[in-house]
Amino acid sequence: MQRKILSIILIIFLVSILDYPLRSPSSTNIHPNARWQQNGITVAGGNRRGNGINQLSDPWGLYVDDDQTIYVADRANHRIVEWKRGATSGQVVAGGNGQGSGDHQLNYPYDVIIDKERDSLIICDCLNERVVRWPRRNGTSGETIISNIDCVGLTMDENGSLYVTDIGRVEVRRYRRGESQGTVVAGGNGSGNRLDQLSYPQYVFVDRDHSVYVSDWNNHRVMKWMKGAKQGIVVAGGQGEGNDLTQLSSPRGVVVDQLVTVYVADGGNNRIMRWPKGATQGSVIVGGNGSGEQSNQLNWPIGIGVNQINFRGEVRGYRRGESQGTVVAGGNGRGNRLDQLSYPTYVFVDRDHSVYVSDEENHRVMKWMEGAKQGIVVAGGQGEGNDLTQLSSPEGVVVDQLGTVYVADWGNDRIMRWPKGATQGSVIVGGNGRGEQSNQLDRPIGLSFDRHGNLYVVDNGNHRV
């Protein structure tokens, strides 16, 4: 079985830096037992503080694209810099025309994200109290899309709505496309430590359910505000400032994965922490070895971008004693053609040595017969959705002696059965909404049958089998 390959891009600047966000793709799939190397590599900057194209000065916001291109809010240089994978220097893609308020200038930008639909950068231009949109390629000036806002962090959901933290109003607002006023989705009740308040909110993350996660800097906690909620719940920290595993110190960037595990840049403690859903304490995954410039240390961490790409997009068979193996499915790059896979996760091999693969990002299960150059779709493949012809991020897969496919339909909280040759499946377990009742599932991942035909499901979100 191929596991998801996780690459941590850890940016360490060898200068005295301050507060930074943690950025990842909006849909972050991380294996629950993932581990990270403790020695990071410098992939941007690292040539002391300066304004050269191989330097940065007080960098803050970080965005990592699918191809591992890094965009950095180079704050004190008043510019956004793009660093290609493996590059020794960056390219200025916004600002860089001196500190100022002109359309071609920035004034201490704090954060940056990519709007892929419009192929543009969206920037928190903090001291100009505006959010600007800047063409991603060959742009010479930006357009103000939100004014009069003390913006520090921002993100975007799958509908193109912007979520922006405002430290002046002590709130997070959502701006749907075309809106100029927005709607408060977290905070907005003054500065304080009540559950309906925030104090110096920093960075924001929005999950698939449109719950909003906010790093609440002065309260040393991360808050979750469910869609429409009047108050939040503490999901990390909240036990006062400190370095205990139950505490945070001036948290900044925050990312949440598919299992609702919270990853947070614990700035004052020079570490990155992971807090599983419902946990009362976290664990250190990077840093925590004191403030410094060694490869296993952080100095007010800028955060991490998480790449969860299976780079080869393939399944290999390894005979006993082999170290290289043979490609038996995929291996033609990431994509949705019949000879490609995109984020293959779980695999099943039948008696004929046909290989079945849950092709997660293509929302389908593929069958590759022995020696075949391409596969066939045996479940899903009609786009992501909850119709009986569709799947949503399929995970575990099992096939019986009749060629019937059983698949953990992760995003739809159900187990589905697809008879051989069928164009749609049927729900055999779950499908009653996400929850913890005995007839419900919460993001099922693994499944198996015993010899009596009993079905066992790893109900990951409910932490049970």
Side-chain angles (χ1 to χ4, degrees), residues 399-428:
V399 183
D400 69 14
Q401 75 279 8
L402 302 177
T404 300
V405 175
Y406 299 83
V407 58
D409 190 10
W410 180 91
N412 288 320
D413 306 300
R414 64 190 184 185
I415 307 299
M416 294 197 71
R417 173 172 56 193
W418 292 66
K420 184 177 181 180
T423 56
Q424 70 175 41
S426 59
V427 180
I428 60 171

Side-chain angles (χ1 to χ4, degrees), residues 212-326:
V212 174
Y213 298 79
V214 188
S215 51
D216 192 9
W217 188 80
N218 264 349
N219 287 321
H220 310 290
R221 64 189 184 184
V222 177
M223 298 292 290
K224 175 183 180 180
W225 292 63
M226 297 180 71
K227 186 177 181 180
K230 298 301 183 184
Q231 65 179 32
I233 58 174
V234 179
V235 292
Q239 301 298 314
E241 182 177 13
N243 61 6
D244 191 80
L245 292 179
T246 64
Q247 296 176 304
L248 297 172
S249 175
S250 304
R252 295 290 180 173
V254 61
V255 166
V256 183
D257 71 13
Q258 81 283 3
L259 304 177
V260 201
T261 300
V262 175
Y263 299 80
V264 58
D266 188 11
N269 288 319
N270 305 299
R271 64 191 184 184
I272 308 297
M273 294 196 73
R274 172 171 56 188
W275 291 66
K277 180 182 179 182
T280 56
Q281 70 176 40
S283 60
V284 179
I285 63 170
V286 172
N289 300 303
S291 175
E293 59 183 40
Q294 300 302 312
S295 61
N296 69 338
Q297 293 179 306
L298 298 171
N299 183 3
W300 281 91
I302 191 169
I304 50 177
V306 183
N307 272 333
Q308 64 277 348
I309 301 171
N310 186 323
F311 292 102
R312 293 191 178 95
E314 66 186 24
V315 179
R316 284 183 175 254
Y318 294 82
R319 291 188 171 91
R320 291 188 185 276
E322 282 188 345
S323 60
Q324 297 300 314
T326 303

